[in-house]
Amino acid sequence: MIVSIHQPNFFPWMGYFDKINKSDKFIFLTSSSRSKSDKYLTRTKIINNNSKLQYLSIPLGIKQIPINQLIMPANDQWKAKFLNIIKESYRDSNYFDEVFNDIKEHLLCEYEYFSDYSISIIKFLISKLNIDTKLYIDTDFNQDFGISNQRNIALCKKVGGDIYLSGNGAKVYNDYKFYRDNSLDLIYQDYIAPTYVQISDEFIPGLSIIDVIFNCGYRATESLLKQ
C-alpha cells in the first residue's frame, strides 16, 4: 500500500498530481508550520499574456504558523486580479471555453482558512483527472504525529501503508534506516515533466496545472499524467 504526503499547495504543478496518482492513499499535511521560503505553498506560476513567467501569490503575509491556521485575506481583490490575469493569459488557448469557468468558480470560492481553500481546488482537479486515490487530511485523525520522518512514518502506519512515496527533494533529510526499522519501504517519485504545446516560444517546465489544462484540456492532461 503506497502512501504519499504533501502540503496543500495552491494550484500545484503536474508533479503534485503525479505523486497522488502513483499512491494508493494520499494525506494532505496541514499541521506542519509554513516554511520561511514558502516557494510553492501559497503561490503558483503561469505564463502571462506577454509570454513571460508570472507568479500568482496569495497575500498571506509571512507568518510562520501551522498551515491550517493560515487565515485567508479579508479583501478579495487579489482573486479578481488573478482571474483577470488568467483570462488574459489563456483566452486564446485551445481549451479556454472548457476550463475557464471551472477556474473562476473555484478561485472565487470563499473559505476562512487557506488549507480548506487549496484542498477544495485540488480535490476538484483530482476528480476532473479521474484520479481514484483515497484522500485524507492529517487533522482528521485528531492526534499529534510528531515531526519530519517520525510524522511521515506515523501517518503512513495510521492509514495502513507499507511503502512511503517521497519527493526527490526530501532525500536530504529522509532517514532510510528509520523507515526500514519501522517496516516501511522508502521510494522516490523521480518525476519527469512531460512536454506539451504552450503559448511561450520555448517550453517552460514546472508551471501550474492551470497552464496544462488550458493548453491540453482535461482529457489530454489526464493522458499526460497517466502515460
Side-chain angles (χ1 to χ4, degrees), residues 15-32:
Y16 190 102
F17 295 94
D18 174 76
K19 177 183 275 190
I20 298 175
N21 184 57
K22 287 178 176 174
S23 305
D24 299 298
K25 297 180 178 181
F26 177 85
I27 303 170
F28 291 104
L29 182 63
T30 68
S31 58
S32 65

PDB file of all heavy atoms in Angstrom, residues 15-32:
ATOM      1  N   GLY A  15       3.615  17.602 -11.221  1.00  0.00           N
ATOM      2  CA  GLY A  15       4.303  16.637 -10.372  1.00  0.00           C
ATOM      3  C   GLY A  15       3.544  16.328  -9.093  1.00  0.00           C
ATOM      4  O   GLY A  15       3.618  15.217  -8.565  1.00  0.00           O
ATOM      5  N   TYR A  16       2.821  17.300  -8.590  1.00  0.00           N
ATOM      6  CA  TYR A  16       1.998  17.112  -7.390  1.00  0.00           C
ATOM      7  C   TYR A  16       0.918  16.054  -7.655  1.00  0.00           C
ATOM      8  O   TYR A  16       0.701  15.147  -6.853  1.00  0.00           O
ATOM      9  CB  TYR A  16       1.363  18.445  -7.025  1.00  0.00           C
ATOM     10  CG  TYR A  16       0.659  18.501  -5.686  1.00  0.00           C
ATOM     11  CD1 TYR A  16       1.277  19.109  -4.595  1.00  0.00           C
ATOM     12  CD2 TYR A  16      -0.619  18.004  -5.513  1.00  0.00           C
ATOM     13  CE1 TYR A  16       0.637  19.194  -3.364  1.00  0.00           C
ATOM     14  CE2 TYR A  16      -1.264  18.079  -4.294  1.00  0.00           C
ATOM     15  CZ  TYR A  16      -0.639  18.682  -3.219  1.00  0.00           C
ATOM     16  OH  TYR A  16      -1.288  18.760  -2.002  1.00  0.00           O
ATOM     17  N   PHE A  17       0.262  16.182  -8.804  1.00  0.00           N
ATOM     18  CA  PHE A  17      -0.805  15.243  -9.150  1.00  0.00           C
ATOM     19  C   PHE A  17      -0.244  13.880  -9.537  1.00  0.00           C
ATOM     20  O   PHE A  17      -0.911  12.860  -9.346  1.00  0.00           O
ATOM     21  CB  PHE A  17      -1.673  15.834 -10.269  1.00  0.00           C
ATOM     22  CG  PHE A  17      -2.413  17.062  -9.837  1.00  0.00           C
ATOM     23  CD1 PHE A  17      -1.880  18.322 -10.051  1.00  0.00           C
ATOM     24  CD2 PHE A  17      -3.625  16.954  -9.174  1.00  0.00           C
ATOM     25  CE1 PHE A  17      -2.544  19.458  -9.619  1.00  0.00           C
ATOM     26  CE2 PHE A  17      -4.310  18.086  -8.742  1.00  0.00           C
ATOM     27  CZ  PHE A  17      -3.765  19.337  -8.968  1.00  0.00           C
ATOM     28  N   ASP A  18       0.969  13.871 -10.074  1.00  0.00           N
ATOM     29  CA  ASP A  18       1.634  12.602 -10.361  1.00  0.00           C
ATOM     30  C   ASP A  18       1.867  11.829  -9.062  1.00  0.00           C
ATOM     31  O   ASP A  18       1.668  10.610  -9.019  1.00  0.00           O
ATOM     32  CB  ASP A  18       2.973  12.862 -11.060  1.00  0.00           C
ATOM     33  CG  ASP A  18       3.785  11.593 -11.260  1.00  0.00           C
ATOM     34  OD1 ASP A  18       3.453  10.810 -12.170  1.00  0.00           O
ATOM     35  OD2 ASP A  18       4.758  11.392 -10.503  1.00  0.00           O
ATOM     36  N   LYS A  19       2.288  12.529  -8.015  1.00  0.00           N
ATOM     37  CA  LYS A  19       2.506  11.874  -6.722  1.00  0.00           C
ATOM     38  C   LYS A  19       1.206  11.264  -6.195  1.00  0.00           C
ATOM     39  O   LYS A  19       1.187  10.131  -5.717  1.00  0.00           O
ATOM     40  CB  LYS A  19       3.062  12.864  -5.697  1.00  0.00           C
ATOM     41  CG  LYS A  19       3.249  12.262  -4.322  1.00  0.00           C
ATOM     42  CD  LYS A  19       3.739  13.280  -3.303  1.00  0.00           C
ATOM     43  CE  LYS A  19       5.237  13.412  -3.360  1.00  0.00           C
ATOM     44  NZ  LYS A  19       5.758  14.218  -2.210  1.00  0.00           N
ATOM     45  N   ILE A  20       0.124  12.010  -6.299  1.00  0.00           N
ATOM     46  CA  ILE A  20      -1.172  11.489  -5.850  1.00  0.00           C
ATOM     47  C   ILE A  20      -1.580  10.282  -6.688  1.00  0.00           C
ATOM     48  O   ILE A  20      -2.024   9.261  -6.162  1.00  0.00           O
ATOM     49  CB  ILE A  20      -2.258  12.582  -5.930  1.00  0.00           C
ATOM     50  CG1 ILE A  20      -1.901  13.752  -5.013  1.00  0.00           C
ATOM     51  CG2 ILE A  20      -3.628  12.012  -5.559  1.00  0.00           C
ATOM     52  CD1 ILE A  20      -2.848  14.939  -5.123  1.00  0.00           C
ATOM     53  N   ASN A  21      -1.415  10.394  -8.010  1.00  0.00           N
ATOM     54  CA  ASN A  21      -1.822   9.319  -8.912  1.00  0.00           C
ATOM     55  C   ASN A  21      -1.039   8.033  -8.682  1.00  0.00           C
ATOM     56  O   ASN A  21      -1.560   6.936  -8.885  1.00  0.00           O
ATOM     57  CB  ASN A  21      -1.655   9.784 -10.364  1.00  0.00           C
ATOM     58  CG  ASN A  21      -2.142   8.775 -11.375  1.00  0.00           C
ATOM     59  OD1 ASN A  21      -3.294   8.364 -11.354  1.00  0.00           O
ATOM     60  ND2 ASN A  21      -1.260   8.366 -12.265  1.00  0.00           N
ATOM     61  N   LYS A  22       0.224   8.157  -8.264  1.00  0.00           N
ATOM     62  CA  LYS A  22       1.062   6.979  -8.026  1.00  0.00           C
ATOM     63  C   LYS A  22       0.841   6.356  -6.646  1.00  0.00           C
ATOM     64  O   LYS A  22       1.483   5.355  -6.317  1.00  0.00           O
ATOM     65  CB  LYS A  22       2.539   7.354  -8.194  1.00  0.00           C
ATOM     66  CG  LYS A  22       2.946   7.585  -9.642  1.00  0.00           C
ATOM     67  CD  LYS A  22       4.408   8.003  -9.742  1.00  0.00           C
ATOM     68  CE  LYS A  22       4.827   8.143 -11.210  1.00  0.00           C
ATOM     69  NZ  LYS A  22       6.201   8.683 -11.339  1.00  0.00           N
ATOM     70  N   SER A  23      -0.022   6.957  -5.856  1.00  0.00           N
ATOM     71  CA  SER A  23      -0.261   6.487  -4.492  1.00  0.00           C
ATOM     72  C   SER A  23      -1.622   5.822  -4.362  1.00  0.00           C
ATOM     73  O   SER A  23      -2.570   6.165  -5.069  1.00  0.00           O
ATOM     74  CB  SER A  23      -0.198   7.673  -3.520  1.00  0.00           C
ATOM     75  OG  SER A  23       1.015   8.379  -3.649  1.00  0.00           O
ATOM     76  N   ASP A  24      -1.693   4.875  -3.439  1.00  0.00           N
ATOM     77  CA  ASP A  24      -2.994   4.297  -3.094  1.00  0.00           C
ATOM     78  C   ASP A  24      -3.743   5.223  -2.143  1.00  0.00           C
ATOM     79  O   ASP A  24      -4.971   5.333  -2.199  1.00  0.00           O
ATOM     80  CB  ASP A  24      -2.801   2.933  -2.428  1.00  0.00           C
ATOM     81  CG  ASP A  24      -2.113   1.937  -3.344  1.00  0.00           C
ATOM     82  OD1 ASP A  24      -2.695   1.634  -4.409  1.00  0.00           O
ATOM     83  OD2 ASP A  24      -1.004   1.478  -3.019  1.00  0.00           O
ATOM     84  N   LYS A  25      -2.967   5.894  -1.275  1.00  0.00           N
ATOM     85  CA  LYS A  25      -3.547   6.826  -0.313  1.00  0.00           C
ATOM     86  C   LYS A  25      -2.658   8.067  -0.236  1.00  0.00           C
ATOM     87  O   LYS A  25      -1.433   7.971  -0.262  1.00  0.00           O
ATOM     88  CB  LYS A  25      -3.683   6.169   1.066  1.00  0.00           C
ATOM     89  CG  LYS A  25      -4.631   4.967   1.061  1.00  0.00           C
ATOM     90  CD  LYS A  25      -4.760   4.328   2.437  1.00  0.00           C
ATOM     91  CE  LYS A  25      -5.748   3.159   2.386  1.00  0.00           C
ATOM     92  NZ  LYS A  25      -5.928   2.529   3.726  1.00  0.00           N
ATOM     93  N   PHE A  26      -3.314   9.218  -0.127  1.00  0.00           N
ATOM     94  CA  PHE A  26      -2.600  10.489  -0.083  1.00  0.00           C
ATOM     95  C   PHE A  26      -3.101  11.304   1.095  1.00  0.00           C
ATOM     96  O   PHE A  26      -4.308  11.390   1.330  1.00  0.00           O
ATOM     97  CB  PHE A  26      -2.815  11.266  -1.380  1.00  0.00           C
ATOM     98  CG  PHE A  26      -2.182  12.633  -1.399  1.00  0.00           C
ATOM     99  CD1 PHE A  26      -0.848  12.790  -1.746  1.00  0.00           C
ATOM    100  CD2 PHE A  26      -2.914  13.762  -1.066  1.00  0.00           C
ATOM    101  CE1 PHE A  26      -0.258  14.047  -1.767  1.00  0.00           C
ATOM    102  CE2 PHE A  26      -2.338  15.022  -1.081  1.00  0.00           C
ATOM    103  CZ  PHE A  26      -1.001  15.167  -1.425  1.00  0.00           C
ATOM    104  N   ILE A  27      -2.156  11.904   1.837  1.00  0.00           N
ATOM    105  CA  ILE A  27      -2.524  12.666   3.027  1.00  0.00           C
ATOM    106  C   ILE A  27      -2.100  14.124   2.854  1.00  0.00           C
ATOM    107  O   ILE A  27      -0.933  14.420   2.602  1.00  0.00           O
ATOM    108  CB  ILE A  27      -1.850  12.081   4.287  1.00  0.00           C
ATOM    109  CG1 ILE A  27      -2.231  10.611   4.459  1.00  0.00           C
ATOM    110  CG2 ILE A  27      -2.256  12.897   5.529  1.00  0.00           C
ATOM    111  CD1 ILE A  27      -1.428   9.895   5.545  1.00  0.00           C
ATOM    112  N   PHE A  28      -3.064  15.035   2.983  1.00  0.00           N
ATOM    113  CA  PHE A  28      -2.762  16.466   2.995  1.00  0.00           C
ATOM    114  C   PHE A  28      -2.162  16.814   4.349  1.00  0.00           C
ATOM    115  O   PHE A  28      -2.781  16.593   5.394  1.00  0.00           O
ATOM    116  CB  PHE A  28      -4.028  17.294   2.767  1.00  0.00           C
ATOM    117  CG  PHE A  28      -4.608  17.201   1.388  1.00  0.00           C
ATOM    118  CD1 PHE A  28      -5.745  16.443   1.148  1.00  0.00           C
ATOM    119  CD2 PHE A  28      -4.019  17.882   0.324  1.00  0.00           C
ATOM    120  CE1 PHE A  28      -6.295  16.368  -0.130  1.00  0.00           C
ATOM    121  CE2 PHE A  28      -4.559  17.805  -0.956  1.00  0.00           C
ATOM    122  CZ  PHE A  28      -5.698  17.042  -1.174  1.00  0.00           C
ATOM    123  N   LEU A  29      -0.959  17.362   4.324  1.00  0.00           N
ATOM    124  CA  LEU A  29      -0.266  17.742   5.553  1.00  0.00           C
ATOM    125  C   LEU A  29      -0.565  19.210   5.851  1.00  0.00           C
ATOM    126  O   LEU A  29      -0.069  20.110   5.176  1.00  0.00           O
ATOM    127  CB  LEU A  29       1.239  17.527   5.391  1.00  0.00           C
ATOM    128  CG  LEU A  29       2.111  17.838   6.604  1.00  0.00           C
ATOM    129  CD1 LEU A  29       1.770  16.923   7.768  1.00  0.00           C
ATOM    130  CD2 LEU A  29       3.590  17.718   6.239  1.00  0.00           C
ATOM    131  N   THR A  30      -1.376  19.458   6.873  1.00  0.00           N
ATOM    132  CA  THR A  30      -1.785  20.830   7.186  1.00  0.00           C
ATOM    133  C   THR A  30      -1.340  21.294   8.570  1.00  0.00           C
ATOM    134  O   THR A  30      -1.440  22.476   8.878  1.00  0.00           O
ATOM    135  CB  THR A  30      -3.320  20.965   7.120  1.00  0.00           C
ATOM    136  OG1 THR A  30      -3.914  20.209   8.194  1.00  0.00           O
ATOM    137  CG2 THR A  30      -3.860  20.462   5.796  1.00  0.00           C
ATOM    138  N   SER A  31      -0.857  20.384   9.397  1.00  0.00           N
ATOM    139  CA  SER A  31      -0.482  20.751  10.766  1.00  0.00           C
ATOM    140  C   SER A  31       0.967  21.216  10.875  1.00  0.00           C
ATOM    141  O   SER A  31       1.374  21.738  11.914  1.00  0.00           O
ATOM    142  CB  SER A  31      -0.706  19.562  11.710  1.00  0.00           C
ATOM    143  OG  SER A  31       0.044  18.434  11.292  1.00  0.00           O
ATOM    144  N   SER A  32       1.755  21.038   9.820  1.00  0.00           N
ATOM    145  CA  SER A  32       3.147  21.498   9.844  1.00  0.00           C
ATOM    146  C   SER A  32       3.188  23.015   9.677  1.00  0.00           C
ATOM    147  O   SER A  32       2.280  23.618   9.084  1.00  0.00           O
ATOM    148  CB  SER A  32       3.959  20.829   8.735  1.00  0.00           C
ATOM    149  OG  SER A  32       3.482  21.215   7.472  1.00  0.00           O
TER     150      SER A  32
END
